[in-house]
Amino acid sequence: MRRPEIHKFNLIITQFFLTPALFLRIPLSHDLRKPAFTGMLERPETRPGLFMNTANRIIVALFILLLIAAVVLHVRESRRQAFYSESRMLMDTVISIKSWPANSGEAVAKAFDEFATVEKQASFHIPESDLSNLNNTGTLGLHVSASELLQIGVDFYHRTEGYFDPSFALLQKAYGFYDEKGRLPSDEEVSQMLATGCGLDRVLARDDERWLLAPGSLLDFGGLAGGYAIERAKMVLRAASCSAFLIDDAGDIWFEGQKPDGKPWRIAVRDPRDNTALAYVESHQPLAVSTSGDYERFIIIDGRKYGHIMNPLTGRPVDYYSSVTVVASDSLTADALSTAVFAMPPEKAFTWVDAQNLPVLFLTATGSIHLSQAGRAVFTGVKEK
Amino acid sequence: MRRRPKLPPVFASRTEAVVIFVLALISLLGLIVVANPLVHSSASPETWRLTIFSQPQKTSEIAMPAEKHLLVTGKLGPAEIEWDDRGNVRIASSTCPCRTCVNMGWSGDAAIICVPNGIMIEPQRSGAPAVDAVTR
């Protein structure tokens, strides 16, 4: 079935050809060798027609062609630039996907389905999720789909020397992050939790059939599930041959493909102090950008703000940085390492990220900005302070 | 001394000259509009997309109201959206428990989101935006 806008476009083009032709009395279909204006020559009393001069006819024809070309180019460019964009509330946040071409709505819907699937696996809040099942019963079969995410979490726990630790959920619960009723646990409580309920390698084990979680421990994969879902969603969009797309999971971003305007992708790193851009990441190549900060998820206890990322040694919320932004070649790495690096003290973090050759931008709690060695080539337009 | 041969006039009539001039002008303007990216972009957003994540999800394009304040109803209750003179937007008040959206303050390029109340407001710019996304 012909689309109405195509029909309209054809009508416009037809009018462009016909109107000047009629106005100039240019023969359209009959023999061009036959004089076109014989009628006029035979009737000299009538007003002479326009553009008897061949050169002028050519000039007019060229301008008309130029005008048609401009219209055609404009319509083609508008269609090429058009994209599909949708936002949905999933995984306790808003996920946005922008995709080219404009008719990729079906693929984007399938990509959102991946977020919904991961939410069913890894939500801390949904009672029926696989993770809730593990937290409530202490066991989870290896065949369950969330098993893959658990293994990835274990791998990142070891890679980050324990700074990425989903078992900190116990501490976060004690601080009131889940019921939003902030309270300060005592030193004894924190020591007890660190000794018996935290440390992924101590509280989570697996045998041939199932995962086993120590009694009283809790896991929260919020620092990884978003990146995991983005990885799955991007596979769907790739399989659907989307030419370019951007997935934004509450600031954890993945982009790939060539935008129609030929410009690089441009991601701003938010400066939490004044909501301007702290720096930019610009790239034609696919990249993941993820930021951990203390300004979006926090609780206020006795007038003091506490962030949700914990120090694995003290069991207390860290306050070294305002934000840590990590750029990586996949969303899992960017998501997990931004959380882990945020938990590291600066003297540890600055050397660790350089050893990992990781592009990182630190905004410290005192307002100073530090770039990792790899970050100097990746972040542009960095504020001086 | 040889006299220069008299050349025929370029335009047969004034009408012909006007038609050619107008055609030339329109063609050149058309090409400028197509070729110049500045024509397509604008510094400040003209509209904002407001999404209420209730069931069913409601999305609407809105312009900045004359009073620069807009009261909307989210999943939990009312929220007040406010604009400044430069087109930055914020959630000035909300019935959500944690008020994180209010504490976020003003936003220029990025969307402002209140997850508990299910409200998102994002600037819509014509043409190429300054940034594709904001990491935060």
Side-chain angles (χ1 to χ4, degrees):
Chain A
M1 191 176 159
R2 186 181 257 180
R3 294 197 310 185
E5 65 266 30
I6 300 287
H7 176 70
K8 191 178 171 186
F9 179 67
N10 284 344
L11 195 67
I12 292 168
I13 294 298
T14 310
Q15 282 178 346
F16 259 104
F17 276 113
L18 279 180
T19 310
L22 292 171
F23 179 68
L24 301 174
R25 304 175 196 178
I26 295 170
L28 288 172
S29 58
H30 59 273
D31 189 358
L32 291 172
R33 288 169 301 181
K34 193 175 164 184
F37 302 99
T38 50
M40 288 190 325
L41 292 173
E42 287 165 3
R43 288 181 285 142
E45 68 278 6
T46 57
R47 191 166 60 87
L50 293 173
F51 308 118
M52 302 297 288
N53 185 333
T54 307
N56 284 356
R57 278 195 221 168
I58 291 169
I59 289 170
V60 168
L62 281 175
F63 279 132
I64 290 172
L65 281 175
L66 208 59
L67 193 55
I68 291 167
V71 171
V72 170
L73 281 174
H74 183 70
V75 171
R76 280 186 59 185
E77 189 60 20
S78 299
R79 287 185 182 174
R80 205 166 60 93
Q81 297 275 0
F83 56 83
Y84 182 84
S85 173
E86 188 177 345
S87 299
R88 291 191 193 177
M89 187 165 271
L90 288 161
M91 299 175 73
D92 297 322
T93 189
V94 175
I95 319 286
S96 298
I97 300 178
K98 185 175 181 180
S99 174
W100 285 267
N103 61 359
S104 53
E106 196 177 328
V108 170
K110 286 180 181 169
F112 277 121
D113 289 345
E114 294 298 319
F115 281 92
T117 302
V118 173
E119 186 175 33
K120 282 178 191 161
Q121 293 175 7
S123 172
F124 187 86
H125 302 285
I126 296 176
E128 301 81 24
S129 74
D130 295 340
L131 185 68
S132 293
N133 188 22
L134 176 63
N135 283 332
N136 294 332
T137 66
T139 61
L140 189 73
L142 286 182
H143 65 279
V144 175
S145 49
S147 187
E148 183 184 31
L149 185 59
L150 288 177
Q151 187 56 54
I152 293 168
V154 171
D155 294 343
F156 274 112
Y157 173 83
H158 290 297
R159 181 176 169 186
T160 61
E161 303 166 23
Y163 280 93
F164 175 81
D165 192 347
S167 69
F168 286 157
L170 192 64
L171 290 164
Q172 290 166 337
K173 188 181 180 186
Y175 272 88
F177 278 98
Y178 295 117
D179 57 11
E180 291 174 351
K181 293 174 183 168
R183 59 178 288 271
L184 270 182
S186 65
D187 290 342
E188 291 74 29
E189 281 180 273
V190 171
S191 298
Q192 176 75 15
M193 284 185 280
L194 280 178
T196 60
C198 296
L200 198 61
D201 58 343
R202 292 196 302 274
V203 301
L204 184 68
R206 60 180 282 182
D207 59 21
D208 291 339
E209 293 179 352
R210 58 193 175 160
W211 291 95
L212 298 163
L213 183 65
S217 294
L218 289 173
L219 300 184
D220 185 346
F221 279 84
L224 192 62
Y228 181 64
I230 291 175
E231 287 297 305
R232 293 176 57 134
K234 82 183 186 192
M235 295 302 176
V236 170
L237 295 171
R238 273 184 198 165
S241 302
C242 294
S243 57
F245 56 86
L246 181 145
I247 305 171
D248 182 350
D249 174 4
D252 294 340
I253 290 156
W254 172 263
F255 57 80
E256 75 173 67
Q258 185 69 46
K259 287 194 294 178
D261 61 8
K263 292 179 180 173
W265 296 95
R266 192 163 195 248
I267 310 299
V269 180
R270 180 174 174 240
D271 186 338
R273 299 168 297 184
D274 57 6
N275 286 342
T276 57
L278 183 64
Y280 297 94
V281 176
E282 292 179 294
S283 173
H284 283 286
Q285 303 303 318
L287 281 179
V289 187
S290 185
T291 297
S292 286
D294 68 351
Y295 49 90
E296 283 209 352
R297 192 173 169 206
F298 58 85
I299 50 167
I300 295 173
I301 305 168
D302 297 333
R304 190 181 161 193
K305 196 166 82 171
Y306 294 89
H308 68 290
I309 299 175
M310 304 289 167
N311 182 326
L313 302 177
T314 65
R316 298 290 185 188
V318 292
D319 56 2
Y320 309 121
Y321 317 100
S322 290
S323 72
V324 171
T325 302
V326 171
V327 177
S329 55
D330 68 272
S331 294
L332 276 166
T333 303
D335 200 6
L337 294 194
S338 66
T339 306
V341 172
F342 194 93
M344 294 178 187
E347 60 272 19
K348 164 86 180 173
F350 294 172
T351 52
W352 191 83
V353 297
D354 284 342
Q356 300 274 326
N357 197 29
L358 198 65
V360 184
L361 173 68
F362 296 89
L363 175 62
T364 67
T366 56
S368 63
I369 294 165
H370 177 81
L371 275 171
S372 67
Q373 286 175 4
R376 286 168 201 156
V378 173
F379 293 95
T380 60
V382 181
K383 274 186 184 174
E384 290 187 2
K385 60 181 180 179
Chain B
M1 193 176 166
R2 286 182 62 187
R3 297 181 92 186
R4 279 187 177 175
K6 195 176 178 183
L7 293 171
V10 176
F11 301 112
S13 66
R14 184 176 288 178
T15 313
E16 190 171 308
V18 169
V19 169
I20 288 184
F21 177 74
V22 169
L23 270 175
L25 201 64
I26 293 172
S27 303
L28 289 174
L29 281 174
L31 274 186
I32 288 168
V33 167
V34 169
N36 190 353
L38 291 175
V39 176
H40 298 290
S41 62
S42 61
S44 62
E46 297 87 16
T47 61
W48 286 260
R49 185 159 66 179
L50 173 68
T51 308
I52 309 287
F53 293 97
S54 53
Q55 293 294 334
Q57 185 170 316
K58 297 171 205 158
T59 301
S60 53
E61 294 277 327
I62 55 169
M64 188 194 301
E67 296 294 323
K68 294 184 181 168
H69 289 266
L70 184 70
L71 200 65
V72 298
T73 304
K75 289 197 293 190
L76 299 178
E80 186 185 13
I81 297 166
E82 185 183 1
W83 284 264
D84 71 4
D85 291 331
R86 291 179 297 172
N88 296 317
V89 69
R90 70 168 179 166
I91 295 180
S93 67
S94 174
T95 40
C96 61
C98 53
R99 304 286 196 284
T100 306
C101 57
V102 177
N103 292 328
M104 289 278 290
W106 296 100
S107 179
D109 281 319
I112 292 276
I113 301 166
C114 178
V115 173
N117 212 2
I119 293 172
M120 178 169 75
I121 183 152
E122 48 190 335
Q124 302 290 294
R125 288 177 168 81
S126 61
V131 293
D132 294 294
V134 178
T135 182
R136 56 191 190 276

